[in-house]
Amino acid sequence: MNAVTRRLPATVEQLPAAQAFLKSGIEQAGLDPHLGGRLALALEEVFVNICHYAYPPGQPGEIELRISPSAERFVLDVLDDGQPFDPANLPEPDLAATLEQRTVGGLGWFLVRQMVTELSCRREQGRNLVSLVMQQPADEGGRAS
């Protein structure tokens, strides 16, 4: 399957369209449904964060989704033209703290890191690029299925 791309307005109302695009790509690539569910959860967090924080209030923005599957990996790139953002600058959440002691924010990116095999975030050609990668499981012969 070749890479496929979809552009959507950066509004939370477009999340179902983004999820449907991902689901179609997962089905076409034959990604394990359990891994697909984890990837869908990661996409939801990234998509909503872009909608809420990438663009100034009142300034419409866009999100581009790009699916690039292979026999070994399923890659979902999420791109936006919003403000530069690097989640590596976020402090690790204190999971031992009580709700009253915790600061707001940061748990979403922690969750995203837990849901995918690989996560990379970078600024490329004036755009934020978040790559969510799921490793395809190997079959009994040691090859990726």
Side-chain angles (χ1 to χ4, degrees), residues 21 30 61 71 88 116 122 140 143:
F21 175 73
V116 297
R122 61 189 176 279
E140 290 101 39
R143 298 178 313 271

Side-chain angles (χ1 to χ4, degrees), residues 3-69:
V4 290
T5 302
R6 174 111 191 248
R7 292 178 183 267
L8 297 166
T11 63
V12 176
E13 292 78 19
Q14 293 298 316
L15 180 59
Q19 291 171 322
F21 175 73
L22 176 60
K23 182 178 180 194
S24 175
I26 287 169
E27 290 170 352
Q28 288 180 27
L31 183 66
D32 176 273
H34 174 72
L35 298 177
R38 293 172 63 104
L39 189 56
L41 185 57
L43 170 61
E44 180 175 341
E45 181 63 30
V46 172
F47 194 95
V48 171
N49 276 341
I50 293 169
C51 293
H52 286 284
Y53 305 113
Y55 299 99
Q59 178 182 331
E62 188 175 72
I63 298 173
E64 179 180 335
L65 304 174
R66 181 174 56 220
I67 295 174
S68 306

Side-chain angles (χ1 to χ4, degrees), residues 66-135:
R66 181 174 56 220
I67 295 174
S68 306
S70 71
E72 299 82 29
R73 299 162 26 115
F74 185 98
V75 180
L76 172 63
D77 291 326
V78 185
L79 301 99
D80 71 78
D81 298 315
Q83 302 173 58
F85 175 70
D86 183 0
N89 294 331
L90 295 174
E92 285 293 318
D94 181 0
L95 301 178
T98 65
L99 287 177
E100 294 79 20
Q101 296 170 325
R102 284 192 185 152
T103 58
V104 175
L107 278 177
W109 283 102
F110 173 80
L111 175 68
V112 169
R113 285 191 290 276
Q114 303 307 307
M115 291 292 106
V116 297
T117 307
E118 296 173 38
L119 169 67
S120 69
C121 305
R122 61 189 176 279
R123 190 84 174 160
E124 191 173 279
Q125 298 177 345
R127 303 175 82 193
N128 295 309
L129 170 58
V130 176
S131 294
L132 305 169
V133 180
M134 294 303 283
Q135 198 70 34

